[in-house]
mmCIF file of all heavy atoms in Angstrom:
data_model
loop_
_atom_site.group_PDB
_atom_site.id
_atom_site.type_symbol
_atom_site.label_atom_id
_atom_site.label_comp_id
_atom_site.label_asym_id
_atom_site.label_seq_id
_atom_site.Cartn_x
_atom_site.Cartn_y
_atom_site.Cartn_z
ATOM 1 N N THR A 534 111.612 66.567 111.248
ATOM 2 C CA THR A 534 111.662 67.050 112.639
ATOM 3 C C THR A 534 110.367 67.728 113.064
ATOM 4 O O THR A 534 110.153 67.995 114.239
ATOM 5 C CB THR A 534 112.805 68.055 112.801
ATOM 6 O OG1 THR A 534 112.563 69.198 111.950
ATOM 7 C CG2 THR A 534 114.138 67.423 112.430
ATOM 8 N N LYS A 535 109.479 68.013 112.084
ATOM 9 C CA LYS A 535 108.227 68.742 112.311
ATOM 10 C C LYS A 535 108.482 70.150 112.865
ATOM 11 O O LYS A 535 107.607 70.774 113.445
ATOM 12 C CB LYS A 535 107.289 67.967 113.254
ATOM 13 C CG LYS A 535 106.828 66.642 112.667
ATOM 14 C CD LYS A 535 105.797 65.968 113.550
ATOM 15 C CE LYS A 535 105.320 64.667 112.920
ATOM 16 N NZ LYS A 535 104.313 63.965 113.750
ATOM 17 N N ILE A 536 109.726 70.599 112.721
ATOM 18 C CA ILE A 536 110.078 71.975 113.072
ATOM 19 C C ILE A 536 110.463 72.662 111.774
ATOM 20 O O ILE A 536 111.455 72.303 111.128
ATOM 21 C CB ILE A 536 111.254 72.030 114.068
ATOM 22 C CG1 ILE A 536 110.885 71.310 115.360
ATOM 23 C CG2 ILE A 536 111.645 73.470 114.349
ATOM 24 C CD1 ILE A 536 112.037 71.204 116.333
ATOM 25 N N LYS A 537 109.661 73.645 111.393
ATOM 26 C CA LYS A 537 109.876 74.266 110.093
ATOM 27 C C LYS A 537 111.117 75.146 110.139
ATOM 28 O O LYS A 537 111.137 76.184 110.790
ATOM 29 C CB LYS A 537 108.649 75.082 109.702
ATOM 30 C CG LYS A 537 108.558 75.334 108.213
ATOM 31 C CD LYS A 537 107.153 75.755 107.839
ATOM 32 C CE LYS A 537 106.974 75.733 106.347
ATOM 33 N NZ LYS A 537 105.611 76.072 105.955
ATOM 34 N N VAL A 538 112.146 74.721 109.446
ATOM 35 C CA VAL A 538 113.409 75.461 109.413
ATOM 36 C C VAL A 538 113.400 76.480 108.280
ATOM 37 O O VAL A 538 113.877 77.607 108.430
ATOM 38 C CB VAL A 538 114.601 74.492 109.264
ATOM 39 C CG1 VAL A 538 115.913 75.265 109.224
ATOM 40 C CG2 VAL A 538 114.603 73.473 110.387
ATOM 41 N N ALA A 539 112.850 76.076 107.147
ATOM 42 C CA ALA A 539 112.841 76.947 105.964
ATOM 43 C C ALA A 539 111.556 76.725 105.183
ATOM 44 O O ALA A 539 110.968 75.643 105.229
ATOM 45 C CB ALA A 539 114.061 76.660 105.094
ATOM 46 N N PRO A 540 111.074 77.723 104.433
ATOM 47 C CA PRO A 540 109.839 77.563 103.654
ATOM 48 C C PRO A 540 110.047 76.664 102.446
ATOM 49 O O PRO A 540 111.165 76.555 101.928
ATOM 50 C CB PRO A 540 109.519 78.997 103.221
ATOM 51 C CG PRO A 540 110.843 79.680 103.179
ATOM 52 C CD PRO A 540 111.645 79.067 104.307
ATOM 53 N N ASN A 541 108.970 76.026 102.011
ATOM 54 C CA ASN A 541 109.047 75.230 100.790
ATOM 55 C C ASN A 541 108.544 76.069 99.618
ATOM 56 O O ASN A 541 108.154 77.230 99.771
ATOM 57 C CB ASN A 541 108.250 73.929 100.937
ATOM 58 C CG ASN A 541 106.800 74.190 101.289
ATOM 59 O OD1 ASN A 541 106.191 75.129 100.792
ATOM 60 N ND2 ASN A 541 106.231 73.355 102.156
ATOM 61 N N ILE A 542 108.519 75.478 98.442
ATOM 62 C CA ILE A 542 108.150 76.232 97.243
ATOM 63 C C ILE A 542 106.706 76.736 97.305
ATOM 64 O O ILE A 542 106.402 77.844 96.846
ATOM 65 C CB ILE A 542 108.379 75.389 95.963
ATOM 66 C CG1 ILE A 542 108.143 76.269 94.723
ATOM 67 C CG2 ILE A 542 107.495 74.149 95.952
ATOM 68 C CD1 ILE A 542 108.527 75.584 93.429
ATOM 69 N N ALA A 543 105.837 75.915 97.929
ATOM 70 C CA ALA A 543 104.447 76.339 98.053
ATOM 71 C C ALA A 543 104.339 77.582 98.934
ATOM 72 O O ALA A 543 103.589 78.520 98.635
ATOM 73 C CB ALA A 543 103.597 75.206 98.616
ATOM 74 N N ASP A 544 105.099 77.582 100.055
ATOM 75 C CA ASP A 544 105.091 78.739 100.949
ATOM 76 C C ASP A 544 105.576 79.994 100.221
ATOM 77 O O ASP A 544 104.995 81.079 100.352
ATOM 78 C CB ASP A 544 106.003 78.492 102.160
ATOM 79 C CG ASP A 544 105.514 77.351 103.036
ATOM 80 O OD1 ASP A 544 104.295 77.152 103.113
ATOM 81 O OD2 ASP A 544 106.369 76.654 103.633
ATOM 82 N N ILE A 545 106.667 79.842 99.474
ATOM 83 C CA ILE A 545 107.255 80.993 98.786
ATOM 84 C C ILE A 545 106.315 81.528 97.708
ATOM 85 O O ILE A 545 106.104 82.744 97.586
ATOM 86 C CB ILE A 545 108.616 80.598 98.175
ATOM 87 C CG1 ILE A 545 109.607 80.269 99.300
ATOM 88 C CG2 ILE A 545 109.156 81.719 97.292
ATOM 89 C CD1 ILE A 545 110.907 79.665 98.812
ATOM 90 N N LEU A 546 105.719 80.623 96.905
ATOM 91 C CA LEU A 546 104.785 81.060 95.860
ATOM 92 C C LEU A 546 103.549 81.726 96.456
ATOM 93 O O LEU A 546 103.065 82.736 95.943
ATOM 94 C CB LEU A 546 104.376 79.867 94.994
ATOM 95 C CG LEU A 546 105.410 79.336 93.997
ATOM 96 C CD1 LEU A 546 104.899 78.081 93.315
ATOM 97 C CD2 LEU A 546 105.739 80.414 92.959
ATOM 98 N N TYR A 547 103.053 81.153 97.565
ATOM 99 C CA TYR A 547 101.863 81.734 98.183
ATOM 100 C C TYR A 547 102.160 83.139 98.700
ATOM 101 O O TYR A 547 101.385 84.074 98.470
ATOM 102 C CB TYR A 547 101.361 80.850 99.327
ATOM 103 C CG TYR A 547 100.113 81.408 99.979
ATOM 104 C CD1 TYR A 547 98.861 81.196 99.406
ATOM 105 C CD2 TYR A 547 100.189 82.166 101.147
ATOM 106 C CE1 TYR A 547 97.714 81.718 99.980
ATOM 107 C CE2 TYR A 547 99.043 82.700 101.729
ATOM 108 C CZ TYR A 547 97.805 82.470 101.140
ATOM 109 O OH TYR A 547 96.680 83.004 101.705
ATOM 110 N N ARG A 548 103.307 83.289 99.429
ATOM 111 C CA ARG A 548 103.627 84.604 99.968
ATOM 112 C C ARG A 548 103.865 85.615 98.845
ATOM 113 O O ARG A 548 103.412 86.757 98.917
ATOM 114 C CB ARG A 548 104.847 84.512 100.885
ATOM 115 C CG ARG A 548 105.340 85.870 101.434
ATOM 116 C CD ARG A 548 104.212 86.655 102.130
ATOM 117 N NE ARG A 548 103.719 85.996 103.293
ATOM 118 C CZ ARG A 548 104.111 86.251 104.550
ATOM 119 N NH1 ARG A 548 105.017 87.174 104.769
ATOM 120 N NH2 ARG A 548 103.591 85.599 105.561
ATOM 121 N N ALA A 549 104.563 85.196 97.787
ATOM 122 C CA ALA A 549 104.796 86.099 96.659
ATOM 123 C C ALA A 549 103.481 86.504 96.002
ATOM 124 O O ALA A 549 103.299 87.656 95.599
ATOM 125 C CB ALA A 549 105.712 85.423 95.635
ATOM 126 N N GLY A 550 102.543 85.534 95.920
ATOM 127 C CA GLY A 550 101.253 85.822 95.287
ATOM 128 C C GLY A 550 100.342 86.677 96.133
ATOM 129 O O GLY A 550 99.352 87.209 95.631
#
Side-chain angles (χ1 to χ4, degrees):
T534 62
K535 296 186 178 180
I536 299 174
K537 201 163 192 177
V538 180
N541 57 38
I542 187 172
D544 296 328
I545 294 171
L546 286 175
Y547 181 82
R548 176 54 64 96

